[in-house]
Amino acid sequence: MLLPSSHRLAWLLAAVLCTGCASTRFENTPLSTAEPNPERRSIDVSDAQRPLVLIAISGGGSRAAALGWTILRELRDQTISTGGGAPHSLADDVGVVSSVSGGSVIAAHFALAGKEGLEDFRQNFLVPDNMEIIAADFLNPFAILGRSFAGESRTDAIRDMFDRELFHGKTFAAVNQPGKPYLILNATEMSTGEVFAFTPGRFDDICASLDDQKLSVGVAASSAVPIAVAPIALTNFSGPGCPAKPASSWPEKEVRKTYSPFINLEAFKRARYAVDLRRSNDTAGPSDPPDFAQRRRIPYVYLLDGGMADNLAVHGLMEVLSAPDGPHLIANPLPGTTMTPGSLLAAINGGALRTVVVIVINARAEPANDLALQATRPGIIPMISAVTSQPIDSATTSIASQMSVLMAQFNAASGGATGDPKFTGLRVYPVMIDFDQLPVATPEQRALREKVKNVPTSWKITAGNLEAIQQAGTVLLQRHPCYERLLLDLSAPASFVDANWARTGCRFPSD
């Protein structure tokens, strides 16, 4: 029963006062064994011609979740066959899914439920009014008081909504299983601005158990919009009391090399962050470098929307593809090779991977903006919007450019430019999905592009907007020349493939 307005006001005031004295809720638990976080997933490269599909899904609330869902449905419905094997769905070849913010909702659900769960995702998340569900929690005085005394915030209401509608208490142990894609949920660590990914390696750095971490916490951290909600809080359990030493020694070695920041600054910064997390609770020893005392101490990790550091989520794909310390996901090496299980980079260098597909799904909106038409200074609300969105767009553009360079380098190597026969035949198909790629030749096409670019960033999407996103996503994937070229090269059945368009718009050095 709804309380009278005066009583509701008193309840809300009491709740607000209680939030000032409540303790912070920390979401993670320490590793309890002498072993690092296990990695149970693997990628089978016994058929070198079978494509490996890597997907990145951007932020954008339910708009991003809907676009990612649409692309995954298209992959599910596309049949291919390689090496004389039985026909299978292209969605079965998705080996890595990296995401931020709204994209993390569909990414985590796909990793958990696979292609078979895509229709459930529509019914359980895209159709309901999630904002109404969240608002009911926000305005419930009993819930507000309960969260206040538990050290929770509005972010936790969103976390609980994800849990009720999609994940039902499942932890990362449910996705870290054979046959599942490697899931990378990306958040932004507040104190350093670094990308913090919910992966076994990163949780090794903070000596915490990823298997025991709820999926809903990872999704909530990845989508915690700054200012609007509070950050997700984790404890860094690293240090002398950690029973398990992180598996990789690469970061420690990298930061000690004098020339590391000059040879590869990004790799050096990545290594330095790992060392900062691992040794945040340590005291300096005689073998430590002179600047160890100046390390960043991070005993507590506060996480906000991953889009602040990389709104395309390609940072995770770049590490998987090019980092020497990338996750060891390779199983069943190509017959006749001596390659041992290792990273994707090792598989590419060893010639065991010949067809790599990188799909980057950018659900970037472009709502109407008349700020530049006004003769008066913008107020506080437009300024908050600008300072949170513009840096995100800038960081996204920079990282997207790095990804493009990486793809170009792989494809240059595939043409034999290195002189190494292992690279002959390697093809990397870059497929960028963006609303700006929609055709505008007819009034109907222009109307569709205008509509999808104005879908609000929210946890609610109307039936009409969802239909428009579905239509746009299908067009964007099916008309992308590199996607068409992939299907053409695989001799896959697809009536929409135009051979001339594909070969002209997606060329390789070997052509």
Side-chain angles (χ1 to χ4, degrees):
M1 184 174 70
L2 195 65
L3 294 169
S5 59
S6 59
H7 291 181
R8 292 202 305 272
L9 180 60
W11 271 104
L12 289 172
L13 179 59
V16 169
L17 292 174
C18 283
T19 58
C21 56
S23 60
T24 297
R25 174 191 170 104
F26 292 93
E27 300 282 357
N28 58 328
T29 58
L31 275 171
S32 58
T33 68
E35 297 297 323
N37 284 283
E39 179 54 76
R40 306 181 188 92
R41 295 158 293 192
S42 63
I43 294 171
D44 190 339
V45 294
S46 58
D47 178 0
Q49 300 308 318
R50 183 164 177 167
L52 170 63
V53 181
L54 314 178
I55 297 179
I57 311 177
S58 80
S62 287
R63 180 184 66 250
L67 184 58
W69 171 75
T70 299
I71 300 303
L72 287 167
R73 286 175 79 242
E74 286 295 315
L75 299 181
R76 178 199 66 187
D77 295 340
Q78 179 60 58
T79 301
I80 66 168
S81 60
T82 60
H88 64 276
S89 167
L90 191 51
D92 295 330
D93 293 321
V94 175
V96 180
V97 185
S98 179
S99 62
V100 295
S101 199
S104 289
V105 188
I106 179 59
H109 190 269
F110 177 73
L112 178 66
K115 64 184 182 183
E116 293 79 13
L118 289 172
E119 297 313 314
D120 289 339
F121 182 80
R122 179 186 185 279
Q123 194 62 33
N124 296 335
F125 186 79
L126 295 176
V127 171
D129 185 344
N130 298 309
M131 294 304 294
E132 187 175 90
I133 297 171
I134 296 170
D137 194 300
F138 281 3
L139 298 176
N140 183 330
F142 297 102
I144 293 173
L145 280 175
R147 292 194 187 285
S148 298
F149 284 116
E152 296 186 349
S153 67
R154 290 191 299 269
T155 312
D156 299 290
I158 298 172
R159 175 205 62 201
D160 290 347
M161 182 268 291
F162 291 144
D163 213 31
R164 285 192 304 269
E165 305 302 315
L166 295 173
F167 304 118
H168 312 295
K170 294 290 179 60
T171 69
F172 279 84
V175 297
N176 188 3
Q177 296 295 331
K180 301 284 190 182
Y182 184 70
L183 174 67
I184 310 172
L185 300 182
N186 298 283
T188 301
E189 199 260 298
M190 284 184 65
S191 70
T192 62
E194 299 281 357
V195 174
F196 185 99
F198 282 70
T199 60
R202 182 57 82 212
F203 268 60
D204 283 346
D205 293 337
I206 63 171
C207 195
S209 171
L210 183 62
D211 273 356
D212 294 331
Q213 188 68 70
K214 279 190 173 184
L215 275 169
S216 57
V217 170
V219 176
S222 180
S223 57
V225 178
I227 301 175
V229 297
I232 288 286
L234 304 178
T235 298
N236 185 352
F237 297 106
S238 66
C242 179
K245 183 180 179 181
S248 174
S249 61
W250 173 81
E252 297 276 358
K253 294 177 181 177
E254 189 71 15
V255 296
R256 282 171 165 76
K257 294 177 182 176
T258 305
Y259 291 99
S260 287
F262 301 98
I263 296 173
N264 188 332
L265 182 58
E266 289 303 316
F268 172 79
K269 290 167 66 177
R270 187 170 68 246
R272 180 186 173 220
Y273 181 53
V275 171
D276 287 342
L277 289 172
R278 294 178 183 188
R279 309 201 65 178
S280 187
N281 300 314
D282 288 357
T283 54
S287 63
D288 290 311
D291 64 345
F292 182 82
Q294 279 73 52
R295 74 195 185 285
R296 294 172 294 187
R297 295 196 64 247
I298 314 171
Y300 303 103
V301 176
Y302 296 103
L303 302 175
L304 286 173
D305 195 312
M308 297 175 64
D310 170 15
N311 200 41
L312 284 183
V314 299
H315 186 277
L317 297 191
M318 290 176 66
E319 286 208 16
V320 166
L321 271 174
S322 62
D325 63 327
H328 284 200
L329 296 173
I330 301 304
N332 300 325
L334 189 67
T337 71
T338 58
M339 192 192 76
T340 57
S343 65
L344 295 187
L345 181 61
I348 291 172
N349 289 338
L353 271 176
R354 298 297 180 88
T355 304
V356 179
V357 187
V358 180
I359 301 177
V360 179
I361 304 169
N362 188 2
R364 175 180 58 90
E366 201 171 80
N369 186 329
D370 62 355
L371 283 178
L373 304 178
Q374 300 175 9
T376 56
R377 292 188 183 93
I380 185 66
I381 300 301
M383 283 193 291
I384 290 175
S385 176
V387 299
T388 55
S389 63
Q390 296 305 325
I392 286 177
D393 290 342
S394 176
T396 296
T397 300
S398 173
I399 296 174
S401 298
Q402 295 175 39
M403 188 69 173
S404 297
V405 170
L406 179 63
M407 296 299 95
Q409 289 172 341
F410 275 125
N411 278 323
S414 74
T418 63
D420 191 333
K422 293 196 300 282
F423 289 106
T424 304
L426 169 68
R427 285 187 173 178
V428 180
Y429 298 78
V431 181
M432 168 68 82
I433 303 296
D434 190 290
F435 292 140
D436 276 341
Q437 297 165 336
L438 287 167
V440 291
T442 68
E444 292 77 16
Q445 290 173 338
R446 290 192 290 274
L448 176 63
R449 188 170 81 162
E450 184 71 14
K451 183 168 187 175
V452 296
K453 293 182 75 171
N454 280 279
V455 175
T457 300
S458 168
W459 292 125
K460 171 186 177 180
I461 187 168
T462 66
N465 283 341
L466 177 57
E467 182 180 355
I469 293 287
Q470 287 182 250
Q471 182 182 349
T474 299
V475 170
L476 287 168
L477 184 63
Q478 291 188 358
R479 80 184 299 264
H480 196 288
C482 283
Y483 183 65
E484 291 195 19
R485 179 66 188 266
L486 169 71
L487 301 182
L488 184 68
D489 291 347
L490 294 175
S491 301
S495 59
F496 55 83
V497 171
D498 180 330
N500 184 60
W501 169 261
R503 290 196 175 101
T504 303
C506 190
R507 300 181 62 83
F508 296 97
S510 58
D511 287 344

